[in-house]
């Protein structure tokens, strides 16, 4: 028997500033903890040697691909769930949740096979350094073969987010990240009786934290999420539901996967200069996550609010949510810009940066961070596209930014001007992204939001 709920969901009635704070703050906190983990993780790996740091940095496209698949599918699940809940259609909401869990499992199987058979080949494509290849193969194999943790964790957390229970996602994400940070030095350096595992220890610490987070996420969904029934007994995949999930999710998956292609391409360009340049790029991604993660957390809280109120035909709440989200995102990015401009040497110092790494890294961080404020606006607008079921707009912007601008500009600049100018490809691409995002944003407002009634439709 399916659960039925008649109480009005808070996403339709709570004041927008309070609602956005309630929905987003737990995710912002948990993502800040995760970002801190990313920094601490690489800081420990850097203590092995610079090749270990480079190897982990070169694995980033694979990790990003897994996150892209999980998060992109989650975006599709979240949008469909929130819309069904806004329409008070709880049976279809349960169907979306169960098919989402099924898709997470299938995604894991695919990535595990890629890890088993393709890890060494992936590193042979990038470098001839035997130590980097060995470190990287160990790390990539472990994180892919045990990737059930990341796929199921993200999926189960999206189910909690779709019903407004983001406090539980803060607990699961935060606990997983804290466990990672605790286990990192123990497994990497062989403390407390553990064998010294080196780079492999960092990978084992990561997947252990993810698996524990999955267990806790499942518990919260079963015991604390009454609007959804996740009983998989007698489950059969529903092609129509999967199609709707991927209609929104696939553009998001492709959009974020393009980031993997971009990073792989930039790493190839940087390795023409030195492995240190590639390590700096990897360090940048770890550091910038501390700025970007809160924005992603904010937008993860924003998406179900917009989707719910779109289903409920509430124009005023949609526009209020969008405006407030853009203002907060840009403010967060401004803080990040100031940080990267004022103390880049101190930031690099967390990773045992050599004099050569400082020489390469300080100008790199200052140049790339010029794109932050633009990125805050674009990330939020892209999330609005996804919430309203127009993930293809997000894909168009992402392809233009990362494939049509960053990679060609970086390659041309590397050939003509040298390493220093490669970093300018990112701010240039972000300006293009702002222009394109604004054009598409105005179009979606005219097509989807303006036709909505000006007055709130009373709930049945």
């Amino acid at each position: 028997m399916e659960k039925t709920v008649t109480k009005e969901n808070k996403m339709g009635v709570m004041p927008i500033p309070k609602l956005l704070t309630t929905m987003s703050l737990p995710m912002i906190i948990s993502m800040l903890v995760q970002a801190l983990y990313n920094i601490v993780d690489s800081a420990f790996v850097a203590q092995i040697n610079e090749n270990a740091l480079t190897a982990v940095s070169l694995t980033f496209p694979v990790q990003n691909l897994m996150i892209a698949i999980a998060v992109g599918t989650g975006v599709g699940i979240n949008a469909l769930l929130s819309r069904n809940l806004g329409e008070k259609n709880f049976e279809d909401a349960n169907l979306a949740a169960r098919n989402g869990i099924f898709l997470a499992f299938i995604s894991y199987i695919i990535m595990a096979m890629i890890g088993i058979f393709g890890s060494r080949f992936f590193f042979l494509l990038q470098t001839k350094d035997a130590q980097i290849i060995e470190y990287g193969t160990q790390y990539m194999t472990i994180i892919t073969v045990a990737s059930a943790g990341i796929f199921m964790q993200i999926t189960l957390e999206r189910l909690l987010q779709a019903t407004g229970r983001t406090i539980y996602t803060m607990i699961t994400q935060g606990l997983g990240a804290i466990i990672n940070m605790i286990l990192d030095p123990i497994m990497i350096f062989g403390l407390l009786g553990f064998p010294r595992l080196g780079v492999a220890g960092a990978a084992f610490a990561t997947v252990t934290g993810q698996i524990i987070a999955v267990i806790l996420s499942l518990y919260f969904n079963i015991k604390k999420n009454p609007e959804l029934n996740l009983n998989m007994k007698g489950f059969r995949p529903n092609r129509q539901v999967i199609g709707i999930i991927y209609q929104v999710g696939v553009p998001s998956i492709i959009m974020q996967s393009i980031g993997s292609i971009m990073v792989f391409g930039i790493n190839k360009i940087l390795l023409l200069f030195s492995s240190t340049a590639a390590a700096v790029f990897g360090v940048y991604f770890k550091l910038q996550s501390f700025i970007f993660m809160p924005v992603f957390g904010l937008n993860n809280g924003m998406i179900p609010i917009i989707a719910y109120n779109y289903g409920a035909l509430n124009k005023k709440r949609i526009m209020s949510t969008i405006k407030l989200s853009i203002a907060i995102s840009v403010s967060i990015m401004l803080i990040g810009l100031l940080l990267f401009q004022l103390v880049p040497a101190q930031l690099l110092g967390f990773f045992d940066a050599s004099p050569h790494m400082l020489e390469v890294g300080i100008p790199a961080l200052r140049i790339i961070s010029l794109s932050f404020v633009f990125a805050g606006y674009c990330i939020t607008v892209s999330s609005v596209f996804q919430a309203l079921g127009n993930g293809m707009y997000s894909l168009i912007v992402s392809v233009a930014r990362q494939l049509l601008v960053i990679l060609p500009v970086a390659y041309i600049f590397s050939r003509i001007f040298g390493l220093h100018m490669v970093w300018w490809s990112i701010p240039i691409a972000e300006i293009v992204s702002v222009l394109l995002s604004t054009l598409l944003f105005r179009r979606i407002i005219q097509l989807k939001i303006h036709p909505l009634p000006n007055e709130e439709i009373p709930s049945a």
Side-chain angles (χ1 to χ4, degrees), residues 105-415:
F105 179 75
I106 296 301
S107 299
Y108 156 63
I109 296 298
I110 294 171
M111 284 308 306
M113 292 298 101
I114 291 174
I116 292 170
F117 298 108
S119 293
R120 182 168 292 274
F121 176 72
F122 177 77
F123 279 89
L124 288 171
L125 286 175
Q126 298 182 85
T127 181
K128 295 181 180 179
D129 189 301
Q131 190 177 54
I132 293 176
I133 292 170
E134 187 60 33
Y135 284 151
T137 300
Q138 291 176 16
Y139 190 85
M140 178 175 164
T141 301
I142 294 167
I143 64 169
T144 50
V145 170
S147 62
I150 192 168
F151 284 109
M152 294 306 300
Q153 178 188 350
I154 290 175
T155 299
L156 292 170
E157 287 171 351
R158 288 302 181 274
L159 301 185
L160 292 167
Q161 291 169 14
T163 56
R165 291 169 174 82
T166 54
I167 185 65
Y168 297 120
T169 66
M170 179 187 75
I171 296 171
T172 57
Q173 291 179 355
L175 179 63
I178 289 169
I179 289 171
N180 285 345
M181 285 188 282
I182 293 172
L183 292 181
D184 260 333
I186 294 173
M187 292 185 168
I188 292 172
F189 304 113
L191 307 179
L192 303 178
F194 274 78
R196 182 184 178 95
L197 299 176
V199 172
F204 279 121
T206 296
V207 299
T208 301
Q210 291 166 351
I211 291 170
I212 291 174
V214 168
I215 296 170
L216 193 58
S217 297
L218 184 60
Y219 170 80
F220 284 144
N221 270 289
I222 294 172
K223 297 294 185 181
K224 306 292 185 180
N225 203 1
E227 288 175 289
L228 295 178
N229 185 336
L230 303 185
N231 187 352
M232 301 291 287
K233 185 177 181 180
F235 168 79
R236 288 175 181 246
N238 185 302
R239 290 185 180 180
Q240 183 178 2
V241 172
I242 291 173
I244 295 172
I245 289 173
Y246 277 143
Q247 184 178 356
V248 175
V250 166
S252 179
I253 291 171
I254 296 173
M255 178 181 67
Q256 295 185 70
S257 299
I258 287 169
S260 296
I261 298 172
M262 183 273 291
V263 172
F264 182 83
I266 292 291
N267 280 333
K268 291 281 288 183
I269 293 170
L270 295 175
L271 286 168
L272 296 174
F273 296 97
S274 69
S275 62
T276 299
V280 165
F281 194 51
V283 165
Y284 156 72
F285 268 101
K286 299 292 184 179
L287 291 170
Q288 64 95 24
S289 69
F290 202 71
I291 310 301
F292 279 65
M293 283 293 192
V295 176
F296 291 138
L298 173 73
N299 288 292
N300 284 338
M302 177 195 73
I303 286 173
I305 298 174
I306 293 176
Y308 183 98
N309 285 284
Y310 184 66
L313 306 179
N314 197 321
K315 179 196 294 187
K316 182 178 179 181
R317 290 179 66 82
I318 293 172
M319 292 306 301
S320 296
T321 303
I322 292 172
K323 291 175 182 177
L324 183 58
S325 298
I326 290 175
I328 296 173
S329 294
V330 170
S331 298
I332 292 172
M333 287 299 198
L334 182 59
I335 295 171
L337 170 63
L338 294 174
L339 189 64
F340 275 57
Q341 292 295 321
L342 296 175
V343 290
Q346 289 81 351
L347 294 175
L348 291 165
F350 287 120
F351 303 89
D352 286 354
S354 64
H356 180 51
M357 181 177 283
L358 289 172
E359 181 184 355
V360 174
I362 289 175
L365 295 188
R366 284 179 170 155
I367 292 169
I368 296 174
S369 63
L370 295 174
S371 67
F372 282 4
V373 173
F374 302 125
Y377 167 80
C378 293
I379 291 168
T380 302
V381 170
S382 178
S383 297
V384 172
F385 297 157
Q386 295 165 10
L388 295 174
N390 286 66
M392 187 58 66
Y393 285 5
S394 301
L395 175 59
I396 291 170
V397 174
S398 186
V399 169
R401 174 183 174 272
Q402 300 187 83
L403 296 187
L404 301 183
V405 181
I406 289 182
L407 282 180
V409 171
Y411 180 76
I412 293 170
F413 281 9
S414 71
R415 290 296 185 181

Side-chain angles (χ1 to χ4, degrees), residues 63-76:
Q63 292 177 295
N64 188 65
L65 176 62
M66 292 192 294
I67 293 171
I69 294 171
V71 170
T73 305
V75 167

